[in-house]
Amino acid sequence: MRKLLNTLYITTPEAYLSKDGLNVVVSVNKDEMFRIPIMNVESIVTFGYMGASPGLMKLCMDNNVSLVFMTPQGRFIGRIQGATQGNVLLRKKQYSLSEDENVALHLAKLFITGKVFNTRGILQRYIRDNGADEEVEDVIKQLDWQKKRILLAENMDILRGEEGHAANTYFEVFNHLILHQKDDFPFNGRSRRPPKDEVNAMLSFVYTLIANDVAAALESVGLDPYVGFMHTLRPGRTSLALDMMEELRAYLGDRLVLSMINRKQVTKKDFIRQSDESFVMTDNCRKELITTWQKRKKETIEHPYLKEKIPIGLLPYTQALLLARFLREDLDDYPVFLMK
């Protein structure tokens, strides 16, 4: 199994990245703040506009380290990746199957069924830990029903409609899962661009982190993260990464956000309301979330399909590897990740 390496997150907007030999060097106002050997890094994500030197970019490309640029608020700008990994025959198979409506619909159903199953699991865990809640229990029943409708969807348009309905149903009771600081963290449904409350700001940010990890994992096993089966193909859009992250959103993202709010790792003071009534995280809040995210990735679980213990941070890589095996016809079907 692949070794879990570090993702280097640069959260200081004024930071500039350069190289010194085989080291990544982080400087602020020309003063060196940090350095790390490139062989200890799997990817670099930087939040700011100062950028990186051409030498550092080449060092990353030579060592297959992805370099991702984000705005200080966490919006994706761009991603640089080195030479294409893996067998070209695998990518040819991927491209061919992406045009096969039956295969695309089958995989899309699996991705979305995994998403619904895992969101339902979060609600069930809430009931186990906190007792009966009629509204949440009703949504659990609705998600059971919607999961069956998803598997019966006859085309992609119907599937997308069912997925959207299931997501809205889940987020209708998401505020029930906020056990502490309820008044400071109101949640009235999912809002993306822009996020209209503090909870949505955190969800959008952590979903971006997941998407980057999934895209890098797909690239590492030889798949093209830009050619998916469900999300529409657009220039610069990692459609396959967006497909695959559906099954991982709840387990990796939603649980992290809820945990940080309920443990009071973040407070209302960690957010800034902007002129358009949207919310962004402060630098300290973003650092706290990333630190918690990194710690979470080091925890181990038993993979439900492989029956092996792996670090949580390797889930994107493991699922990417299983998808590649399915596309190569080494597996009869794709074993979507279903959390216990």
Coordinates of all heavy atoms in Angstrom, one line a residue, residues 198-288:
E198 N -21.7 30.6 8.3 CA -20.4 30.1 8.7 C -20.2 28.6 8.4 O -19.2 28.2 8.0 CB -20.2 30.4 10.2 CG -20.2 31.8 10.6 CD -21.5 32.4 10.9 OE1 -22.5 31.8 10.5 OE2 -21.6 33.5 11.5
V199 N -21.3 27.9 8.5 CA -21.3 26.4 8.3 C -21.0 26.2 6.8 O -20.1 25.3 6.5 CB -22.6 25.7 8.7 CG1 -22.5 24.2 8.4 CG2 -22.8 26.0 10.2
N200 N -21.7 26.9 5.9 CA -21.4 26.7 4.5 C -20.0 27.1 4.1 O -19.5 26.5 3.2 CB -22.5 27.5 3.7 CG -23.7 26.7 3.5 OD1 -23.7 25.7 2.7 ND2 -24.8 27.2 4.1
A201 N -19.5 28.1 4.7 CA -18.1 28.5 4.4 C -17.1 27.4 4.7 O -16.2 27.1 4.0 CB -17.7 29.8 5.3
M202 N -17.3 26.7 5.9 CA -16.5 25.6 6.2 C -16.7 24.4 5.3 O -15.7 23.8 4.9 CB -16.7 25.2 7.7 CG -16.3 26.2 8.7 SD -16.6 25.6 10.4 CE -15.4 24.4 10.6
L203 N -18.0 24.1 5.0 CA -18.2 23.0 4.1 C -17.6 23.2 2.7 O -16.9 22.3 2.2 CB -19.7 22.8 3.9 CG -20.5 22.2 5.1 CD1 -22.0 22.3 4.9 CD2 -20.1 20.8 5.4
S204 N -17.8 24.4 2.2 CA -17.2 24.6 0.8 C -15.7 24.5 0.9 O -15.1 24.0 -0.1 CB -17.6 26.1 0.4 OG -19.0 26.1 0.1
F205 N -15.0 25.0 1.9 CA -13.6 24.9 2.0 C -13.1 23.5 2.1 O -12.2 23.1 1.4 CB -13.1 25.7 3.3 CG -11.6 25.8 3.4 CD1 -10.9 26.8 2.7 CD2 -10.9 25.0 4.2 CE1 -9.5 26.9 2.8 CE2 -9.5 25.0 4.3 CZ -8.9 26.0 3.6
V206 N -13.7 22.7 3.0 CA -13.2 21.3 3.1 C -13.6 20.5 1.9 O -12.8 19.6 1.5 CB -13.8 20.7 4.4 CG1 -15.2 20.3 4.3 CG2 -13.0 19.5 4.9
Y207 N -14.7 20.8 1.2 CA -15.0 20.0 0.0 C -13.9 20.3 -1.1 O -13.5 19.4 -1.9 CB -16.3 20.5 -0.6 CG -17.5 19.9 0.2 CD1 -18.8 20.5 0.0 CD2 -17.4 18.9 1.1 CE1 -19.9 20.0 0.7 CE2 -18.5 18.5 1.9 CZ -19.7 19.0 1.7 OH -20.8 18.6 2.4
T208 N -13.4 21.6 -1.1 CA -12.3 21.9 -2.0 C -11.0 21.1 -1.7 O -10.4 20.6 -2.6 CB -12.0 23.4 -2.0 OG1 -13.2 24.1 -2.3 CG2 -10.9 23.8 -3.0
L209 N -10.7 20.9 -0.4 CA -9.6 20.1 0.0 C -9.7 18.7 -0.5 O -8.8 18.1 -1.0 CB -9.4 20.2 1.5 CG -9.1 21.5 2.1 CD1 -8.9 21.4 3.6 CD2 -7.9 22.2 1.5
I210 N -11.0 18.1 -0.3 CA -11.2 16.8 -0.7 C -11.1 16.6 -2.2 O -10.4 15.7 -2.7 CB -12.6 16.3 -0.3 CG1 -12.7 16.3 1.2 CG2 -12.9 14.9 -0.8 CD1 -14.2 16.1 1.7
A211 N -11.6 17.6 -3.0 CA -11.5 17.5 -4.4 C -10.1 17.5 -4.9 O -9.7 16.8 -5.8 CB -12.3 18.7 -5.1
N212 N -9.2 18.3 -4.3 CA -7.8 18.3 -4.7 C -7.1 17.0 -4.4 O -6.3 16.5 -5.2 CB -7.1 19.5 -3.9 CG -7.5 20.8 -4.5 OD1 -7.7 21.0 -5.6 ND2 -7.5 21.8 -3.6
D213 N -7.4 16.4 -3.2 CA -6.8 15.1 -2.8 C -7.3 14.0 -3.8 O -6.5 13.2 -4.2 CB -7.2 14.8 -1.4 CG -6.4 15.5 -0.4 OD1 -5.5 16.3 -0.8 OD2 -6.6 15.3 0.8
V214 N -8.5 14.1 -4.2 CA -9.1 13.0 -5.1 C -8.4 13.2 -6.5 O -8.1 12.2 -7.1 CB -10.6 13.1 -5.2 CG1 -11.1 12.1 -6.2 CG2 -11.2 12.7 -3.8
A215 N -8.3 14.4 -6.9 CA -7.7 14.7 -8.3 C -6.3 14.2 -8.3 O -5.9 13.5 -9.3 CB -7.8 16.2 -8.6
A216 N -5.5 14.4 -7.2 CA -4.1 14.0 -7.2 C -4.1 12.5 -7.1 O -3.2 11.8 -7.7 CB -3.4 14.6 -6.0
A217 N -5.0 11.8 -6.4 CA -5.0 10.4 -6.3 C -5.3 9.7 -7.6 O -4.7 8.7 -8.0 CB -6.1 10.0 -5.3
L218 N -6.3 10.3 -8.4 CA -6.6 9.8 -9.7 C -5.4 9.8 -10.6 O -5.1 8.9 -11.4 CB -7.8 10.5 -10.3 CG -9.2 10.3 -9.6 CD1 -10.2 11.3 -10.0 CD2 -9.7 8.9 -9.9
E219 N -4.8 11.0 -10.6 CA -3.6 11.2 -11.4 C -2.5 10.1 -11.1 O -1.8 9.6 -12.0 CB -3.0 12.6 -11.3 CG -1.8 12.9 -12.0 CD -2.0 13.1 -13.5 OE1 -3.1 13.6 -13.9 OE2 -1.1 12.8 -14.3
S220 N -2.3 9.9 -9.8 CA -1.3 9.0 -9.4 C -1.5 7.5 -9.8 O -0.5 6.8 -9.9 CB -1.1 9.1 -7.8 OG -2.2 8.4 -7.2
V221 N -2.7 7.1 -10.0 CA -3.0 5.7 -10.4 C -3.1 5.6 -11.9 O -3.4 4.6 -12.5 CB -4.2 5.1 -9.7 CG1 -4.1 5.2 -8.2 CG2 -5.5 5.8 -10.2
G222 N -3.0 6.8 -12.6 CA -3.0 6.7 -14.1 C -4.2 7.1 -14.8 O -4.4 7.1 -16.0
L223 N -5.2 7.6 -14.0 CA -6.5 8.1 -14.6 C -6.5 9.6 -14.8 O -5.7 10.3 -14.2 CB -7.7 7.7 -13.6 CG -8.0 6.2 -13.5 CD1 -9.0 6.0 -12.3 CD2 -8.5 5.7 -14.8
D224 N -7.3 10.0 -15.7 CA -7.4 11.4 -16.1 C -8.5 12.1 -15.2 O -9.7 11.8 -15.4 CB -7.7 11.6 -17.5 CG -7.7 13.0 -18.0 OD1 -7.8 13.9 -17.1 OD2 -7.5 13.3 -19.2
P225 N -8.1 12.9 -14.2 CA -9.1 13.5 -13.3 C -10.1 14.4 -14.0 O -11.1 14.8 -13.5 CB -8.3 14.2 -12.3 CG -7.0 14.5 -13.0 CD -6.8 13.4 -13.9
Y226 N -9.8 14.8 -15.3 CA -10.7 15.8 -16.0 C -11.8 15.1 -16.8 O -12.7 15.8 -17.3 CB -9.8 16.6 -16.9 CG -8.9 17.5 -16.1 CD1 -7.6 17.1 -15.8 CD2 -9.3 18.8 -15.7 CE1 -6.8 18.0 -15.1 CE2 -8.5 19.6 -15.0 CZ -7.2 19.2 -14.7 OH -6.4 20.0 -13.9
V227 N -11.7 13.8 -16.9 CA -12.7 13.0 -17.8 C -13.6 12.1 -16.8 O -13.1 11.1 -16.4 CB -12.1 12.2 -18.9 CG1 -13.1 11.5 -19.7 CG2 -11.2 13.1 -19.8
G228 N -14.8 12.6 -16.5 CA -15.6 11.9 -15.6 C -16.8 11.2 -16.3 O -16.8 11.1 -17.5
F229 N -17.7 10.7 -15.4 CA -18.8 9.9 -15.9 C -20.1 10.6 -15.7 O -21.1 10.3 -16.3 CB -18.8 8.5 -15.3 CG -17.6 7.7 -15.7 CD1 -16.5 7.7 -14.9 CD2 -17.6 6.9 -16.8 CE1 -15.3 7.0 -15.2 CE2 -16.4 6.2 -17.2 CZ -15.3 6.2 -16.4
M230 N -20.2 11.5 -14.7 CA -21.4 12.1 -14.3 C -21.4 13.6 -14.5 O -22.2 14.2 -15.1 CB -21.8 11.8 -12.9 CG -23.2 12.4 -12.5 SD -23.6 12.0 -10.8 CE -22.5 13.0 -9.9
H231 N -20.3 14.3 -13.9 CA -20.2 15.7 -14.0 C -19.8 16.1 -15.4 O -19.0 15.5 -16.1 CB -19.2 16.2 -13.0 CG -19.7 16.3 -11.6 ND1 -19.6 15.2 -10.8 CD2 -20.2 17.3 -10.8 CE1 -20.1 15.5 -9.6 NE2 -20.5 16.7 -9.6
T232 N -20.5 17.2 -15.9 CA -20.3 17.6 -17.2 C -18.8 18.0 -17.5 O -18.1 18.6 -16.6 CB -21.1 18.9 -17.5 OG1 -22.5 18.5 -17.2 CG2 -21.1 19.3 -18.9
L233 N -18.3 17.7 -18.6 CA -16.9 18.0 -19.0 C -16.8 19.5 -19.3 O -17.6 20.0 -20.1 CB -16.4 17.2 -20.2 CG -16.5 15.7 -20.0 CD1 -15.9 15.0 -21.3 CD2 -15.8 15.2 -18.8
R234 N -15.9 20.2 -18.7 CA -15.6 21.6 -18.9 C -14.1 21.8 -18.9 O -13.4 21.1 -18.1 CB -16.3 22.5 -17.9 CG -17.8 22.5 -17.9 CD -18.4 23.4 -16.9 NE -19.8 23.2 -16.7 CZ -20.6 23.7 -15.8 NH1 -19.9 24.4 -14.8 NH2 -21.9 23.6 -15.7
P235 N -13.6 22.7 -19.6 CA -12.1 23.0 -19.5 C -11.7 23.4 -18.1 O -12.4 24.2 -17.5 CB -12.0 24.2 -20.5 CG -13.1 24.1 -21.5 CD -14.2 23.5 -20.7
G236 N -10.7 22.7 -17.6 CA -10.2 23.0 -16.3 C -11.0 22.4 -15.1 O -10.6 22.6 -14.0
R237 N -12.0 21.7 -15.4 CA -12.8 21.1 -14.4 C -12.4 19.6 -14.2 O -12.5 18.8 -15.1 CB -14.3 21.2 -14.8 CG -15.3 20.7 -13.7 CD -16.7 20.7 -14.2 NE -17.7 20.8 -13.1 CZ -19.0 20.7 -13.3 NH1 -19.4 20.4 -14.5 NH2 -19.8 20.8 -12.3
T238 N -12.1 19.2 -13.0 CA -11.7 17.8 -12.7 C -13.0 17.0 -12.5 O -13.3 16.7 -11.4 CB -10.8 17.8 -11.5 OG1 -11.4 18.5 -10.4 CG2 -9.4 18.4 -11.8
S239 N -13.6 16.7 -13.6 CA -14.9 16.1 -13.5 C -14.9 14.7 -12.8 O -15.8 14.4 -12.0 CB -15.5 15.9 -14.9 OG -15.7 17.2 -15.5
L240 N -13.9 13.9 -13.1 CA -13.8 12.6 -12.4 C -13.6 12.7 -10.9 O -14.1 12.0 -10.1 CB -12.7 11.7 -13.1 CG -12.7 10.3 -12.5 CD1 -14.0 9.5 -12.7 CD2 -11.6 9.5 -13.2
A241 N -12.8 13.7 -10.5 CA -12.6 13.9 -9.1 C -13.9 14.4 -8.4 O -14.2 13.9 -7.3 CB -11.5 15.0 -8.9
L242 N -14.7 15.2 -9.1 CA -16.0 15.6 -8.6 C -16.9 14.4 -8.5 O -17.7 14.3 -7.5 CB -16.6 16.7 -9.4 CG -15.8 18.0 -9.5 CD1 -16.5 19.0 -10.4 CD2 -15.6 18.6 -8.1
D243 N -16.8 13.5 -9.5 CA -17.6 12.3 -9.4 C -17.3 11.5 -8.2 O -18.2 11.1 -7.4 CB -17.4 11.4 -10.6 CG -18.0 11.9 -11.9 OD1 -18.7 12.9 -11.8 OD2 -17.7 11.3 -13.0
M244 N -16.0 11.2 -8.0 CA -15.6 10.2 -7.0 C -15.7 10.8 -5.6 O -16.0 10.1 -4.6 CB -14.1 9.8 -7.2 CG -13.6 8.9 -6.1 SD -12.0 8.1 -6.6 CE -12.6 6.9 -7.7
M245 N -15.5 12.2 -5.4 CA -15.6 12.7 -4.1 C -17.0 12.7 -3.5 O -17.2 12.9 -2.3 CB -15.1 14.2 -4.1 CG -16.0 15.2 -4.8 SD -15.4 16.9 -4.5 CE -15.8 17.2 -2.8
E246 N -18.0 12.4 -4.4 CA -19.4 12.3 -3.8 C -19.5 11.3 -2.7 O -20.2 11.6 -1.7 CB -20.4 12.0 -5.0 CG -20.5 13.0 -6.1 CD -21.2 14.3 -5.6 OE1 -21.5 14.5 -4.4 OE2 -21.4 15.2 -6.5
E247 N -18.9 10.2 -2.9 CA -19.0 9.1 -1.9 C -18.2 9.4 -0.6 O -18.4 8.8 0.4 CB -18.5 7.8 -2.4 CG -17.0 7.8 -2.8 CD -16.6 6.6 -3.7 OE1 -16.8 6.7 -4.9 OE2 -16.2 5.6 -3.1
L248 N -17.3 10.4 -0.7 CA -16.4 10.8 0.4 C -16.8 12.0 1.1 O -16.2 12.3 2.2 CB -14.9 10.9 -0.1 CG -14.4 9.7 -0.8 CD1 -13.0 10.0 -1.4 CD2 -14.3 8.5 0.1
R249 N -17.7 12.8 0.6 CA -18.0 14.1 1.2 C -18.5 14.0 2.7 O -17.9 14.7 3.5 CB -19.2 14.8 0.4 CG -18.9 15.4 -0.9 CD -20.1 15.9 -1.5 NE -19.9 16.4 -2.9 CZ -19.7 17.7 -3.2 NH1 -19.6 18.6 -2.2 NH2 -19.6 18.1 -4.4
A250 N -19.4 13.1 2.9 CA -19.9 13.0 4.3 C -18.9 12.6 5.3 O -18.7 13.1 6.4 CB -21.2 12.1 4.3
Y251 N -18.2 11.5 4.9 CA -17.3 10.9 5.8 C -16.1 11.8 6.1 O -15.6 11.9 7.2 CB -16.8 9.5 5.3 CG -15.9 8.8 6.3 CD1 -16.5 8.2 7.4 CD2 -14.6 8.6 6.1 CE1 -15.7 7.5 8.3 CE2 -13.8 7.9 7.0 CZ -14.4 7.4 8.1 OH -13.6 6.7 9.0
L252 N -15.5 12.4 5.0 CA -14.3 13.2 5.2 C -14.6 14.7 5.5 O -13.9 15.3 6.3 CB -13.5 13.2 3.9 CG -12.9 11.8 3.6 CD1 -12.0 12.0 2.3 CD2 -12.0 11.3 4.7
G253 N -15.7 15.2 4.9 CA -16.0 16.6 5.1 C -17.0 17.0 6.1 O -16.7 17.7 7.1
D254 N -18.2 16.4 6.0 CA -19.3 16.8 6.9 C -19.0 16.5 8.4 O -19.2 17.3 9.3 CB -20.6 16.1 6.6 CG -21.1 16.5 5.2 OD1 -20.4 17.3 4.5 OD2 -22.1 16.0 4.7
R255 N -18.4 15.3 8.6 CA -18.0 15.0 10.0 C -17.0 15.9 10.6 O -17.0 16.2 11.8 CB -17.6 13.5 10.0 CG -18.7 12.5 9.8 CD -18.2 11.1 9.8 NE -17.5 10.7 11.1 CZ -17.1 9.5 11.4 NH1 -17.4 8.5 10.5 NH2 -16.5 9.2 12.5
L256 N -16.0 16.3 9.8 CA -15.0 17.2 10.2 C -15.6 18.5 10.7 O -15.3 19.1 11.7 CB -13.9 17.4 9.1 CG -12.8 18.3 9.5 CD1 -11.8 17.6 10.4 CD2 -12.0 18.8 8.3
V257 N -16.4 19.1 9.8 CA -17.0 20.4 10.1 C -17.9 20.3 11.4 O -17.8 21.2 12.3 CB -17.9 20.9 8.9 CG1 -18.7 22.1 9.3 CG2 -17.0 21.2 7.7
L258 N -18.7 19.3 11.5 CA -19.6 19.2 12.7 C -18.8 19.0 13.9 O -19.1 19.6 15.0 CB -20.5 18.0 12.5 CG -21.6 18.2 11.5 CD1 -22.3 16.8 11.1 CD2 -22.7 19.2 11.9
S259 N -17.7 18.2 13.8 CA -16.8 18.0 15.0 C -16.2 19.3 15.5 O -16.1 19.5 16.7 CB -15.8 16.9 14.6 OG -14.9 16.8 15.7
M260 N -15.7 20.1 14.6 CA -15.0 21.3 14.9 C -16.0 22.3 15.6 O -15.6 23.0 16.5 CB -14.3 21.9 13.7 CG -13.1 21.1 13.2 SD -12.2 22.0 11.9 CE -11.5 23.3 12.9
I261 N -17.2 22.3 15.1 CA -18.2 23.2 15.7 C -18.6 22.7 17.1 O -18.6 23.5 18.1 CB -19.4 23.4 14.8 CG1 -19.0 24.1 13.5 CG2 -20.5 24.2 15.5 CD1 -20.1 24.1 12.5
N262 N -18.9 21.4 17.2 CA -19.4 20.9 18.4 C -18.3 20.8 19.5 O -18.7 20.9 20.7 CB -20.0 19.5 18.2 CG -21.3 19.6 17.4 OD1 -22.1 20.5 17.6 ND2 -21.6 18.5 16.6
R263 N -17.1 20.7 19.1 CA -16.0 20.7 20.1 C -15.5 22.2 20.4 O -14.5 22.3 21.1 CB -14.8 19.9 19.6 CG -15.1 18.4 19.5 CD -14.0 17.6 19.0 NE -14.2 16.2 18.9 CZ -13.4 15.3 18.4 NH1 -12.2 15.7 17.9 NH2 -13.7 14.0 18.4
K264 N -16.1 23.1 19.7 CA -15.8 24.5 19.9 C -14.4 24.9 19.5 O -13.7 25.7 20.1 CB -16.1 25.0 21.4 CG -17.5 24.8 21.8 CD -17.8 25.3 23.2 CE -19.3 25.1 23.5 NZ -19.6 25.5 24.9
Q265 N -13.9 24.1 18.5 CA -12.6 24.5 17.9 C -12.7 25.7 17.1 O -11.6 26.4 16.9 CB -12.1 23.3 17.1 CG -11.6 22.1 17.8 CD -11.2 21.0 16.9 OE1 -11.9 20.1 16.6 NE2 -10.0 21.1 16.4
V266 N -13.9 26.1 16.6 CA -14.1 27.3 15.9 C -15.3 28.0 16.6 O -16.1 27.4 17.2 CB -14.5 27.1 14.5 CG1 -13.3 26.5 13.7 CG2 -15.7 26.2 14.3
T267 N -15.3 29.3 16.6 CA -16.4 30.1 17.1 C -16.8 31.2 16.1 O -16.2 31.3 15.0 CB -15.9 30.9 18.4 OG1 -15.0 31.9 18.1 CG2 -15.3 29.9 19.4
K268 N -17.9 31.9 16.4 CA -18.4 32.9 15.5 C -17.4 33.9 15.2 O -17.4 34.5 14.1 CB -19.6 33.5 16.1 CG -20.5 34.3 15.1 CD -21.7 34.8 15.8 CE -22.6 35.6 14.8 NZ -23.1 34.7 13.7
K269 N -16.4 34.2 16.1 CA -15.4 35.2 15.9 C -14.4 34.8 14.8 O -13.6 35.6 14.3 CB -14.7 35.5 17.2 CG -15.5 36.1 18.3 CD -14.7 36.3 19.5 CE -15.6 36.9 20.6 NZ -14.9 37.1 21.9
D270 N -14.4 33.5 14.4 CA -13.5 33.0 13.4 C -14.0 33.3 12.0 O -13.3 32.8 11.0 CB -13.2 31.5 13.6 CG -12.4 31.3 14.8 OD1 -11.4 31.9 15.1 OD2 -12.8 30.3 15.6
F271 N -15.0 34.1 11.8 CA -15.6 34.3 10.5 C -15.8 35.8 10.2 O -16.1 36.6 11.2 CB -16.9 33.5 10.3 CG -16.8 32.0 10.4 CD1 -16.7 31.4 11.6 CD2 -16.6 31.3 9.3 CE1 -16.6 30.1 11.8 CE2 -16.4 29.9 9.4 CZ -16.4 29.3 10.6
I272 N -15.7 36.2 9.0 CA -15.9 37.6 8.6 C -17.1 37.7 7.6 O -17.1 36.9 6.6 CB -14.6 38.1 7.9 CG1 -13.4 38.0 8.9 CG2 -14.9 39.6 7.5 CD1 -12.1 38.4 8.2
R273 N -18.0 38.5 7.9 CA -19.1 38.8 7.0 C -18.7 39.8 5.9 O -18.2 40.9 6.3 CB -20.4 39.3 7.7 CG -21.6 39.4 6.8 CD -22.7 40.2 7.5 NE -23.2 39.5 8.7 CZ -24.3 38.7 8.6 NH1 -25.0 38.6 7.5 NH2 -24.8 38.1 9.7
Q274 N -18.9 39.5 4.7 CA -18.5 40.4 3.6 C -19.7 41.2 3.1 O -20.8 41.1 3.6 CB -17.9 39.6 2.5 CG -16.6 38.8 2.9 CD -15.9 38.2 1.7 OE1 -16.5 37.4 0.9 NE2 -14.7 38.4 1.6
S275 N -19.4 42.2 2.3 CA -20.4 43.1 1.8 C -21.5 42.5 1.1 O -22.6 43.0 1.1 CB -19.7 44.2 0.9 OG -19.1 43.5 -0.2
D276 N -21.3 41.3 0.5 CA -22.4 40.6 -0.2 C -23.1 39.6 0.7 O -23.9 38.8 0.2 CB -21.9 39.9 -1.5 CG -20.9 38.8 -1.1 OD1 -20.5 38.7 0.1 OD2 -20.4 38.1 -2.0
E277 N -22.9 39.8 2.0 CA -23.6 39.0 3.0 C -23.1 37.5 3.1 O -23.7 36.7 3.7 CB -25.1 39.0 2.9 CG -25.8 40.3 3.0 CD -25.5 41.0 4.4 OE1 -25.7 40.3 5.4 OE2 -25.0 42.1 4.4
S278 N -22.0 37.3 2.4 CA -21.4 36.0 2.4 C -20.3 35.9 3.6 O -20.0 37.0 4.2 CB -20.7 35.6 1.1 OG -19.6 36.5 0.9
F279 N -19.8 34.7 3.9 CA -18.9 34.6 5.0 C -17.6 33.9 4.5 O -17.6 33.1 3.7 CB -19.5 33.7 6.1 CG -20.6 34.4 6.9 CD1 -21.9 34.5 6.4 CD2 -20.3 34.9 8.2 CE1 -22.9 35.2 7.2 CE2 -21.3 35.6 8.9 CZ -22.6 35.7 8.4
V280 N -16.5 34.4 5.1 CA -15.2 33.7 4.9 C -14.6 33.5 6.2 O -14.8 34.2 7.2 CB -14.3 34.6 4.0 CG1 -14.9 34.8 2.6 CG2 -14.0 36.0 4.7
M281 N -13.7 32.5 6.2 CA -13.0 32.2 7.5 C -11.8 33.1 7.6 O -11.2 33.6 6.7 CB -12.5 30.7 7.4 CG -13.6 29.7 7.4 SD -12.9 28.0 7.4 CE -12.3 27.9 5.7
T282 N -11.4 33.4 8.9 CA -10.2 34.1 9.2 C -9.0 33.3 8.9 O -9.1 32.0 8.8 CB -10.2 34.6 10.6 OG1 -10.2 33.5 11.5 CG2 -11.4 35.5 10.9
D283 N -7.8 33.9 8.9 CA -6.6 33.1 8.7 C -6.4 32.0 9.8 O -6.1 30.9 9.5 CB -5.4 34.0 8.6 CG -5.3 34.8 7.4 OD1 -6.1 34.5 6.4 OD2 -4.6 35.8 7.3
N284 N -6.7 32.4 11.0 CA -6.5 31.5 12.1 C -7.5 30.3 12.0 O -7.2 29.2 12.4 CB -6.7 32.2 13.5 CG -5.5 33.1 13.8 OD1 -4.4 32.9 13.3 ND2 -5.8 34.1 14.6
C285 N -8.7 30.6 11.6 CA -9.7 29.6 11.5 C -9.3 28.6 10.4 O -9.4 27.4 10.5 CB -11.1 30.2 11.1 SG -12.4 29.0 10.9
R286 N -8.8 29.1 9.3 CA -8.4 28.3 8.2 C -7.2 27.4 8.6 O -7.2 26.2 8.3 CB -8.0 29.1 7.0 CG -7.8 28.4 5.7 CD -7.9 29.3 4.5 NE -6.9 30.4 4.6 CZ -7.3 31.7 4.6 NH1 -8.5 32.0 4.6 NH2 -6.4 32.6 4.7
K287 N -6.3 27.9 9.4 CA -5.2 27.2 9.9 C -5.6 26.1 10.8 O -5.2 24.9 10.8 CB -4.2 28.1 10.6 CG -3.4 29.0 9.7 CD -2.5 30.0 10.4 CE -1.8 30.9 9.5 NZ -1.0 31.9 10.3
E288 N -6.6 26.4 11.7 CA -7.1 25.4 12.6 C -7.8 24.3 11.9 O -7.7 23.1 12.2 CB -8.1 26.1 13.6 CG -8.7 25.1 14.6 CD -7.7 24.6 15.6 OE1 -6.7 25.2 15.8 OE2 -8.0 23.5 16.2

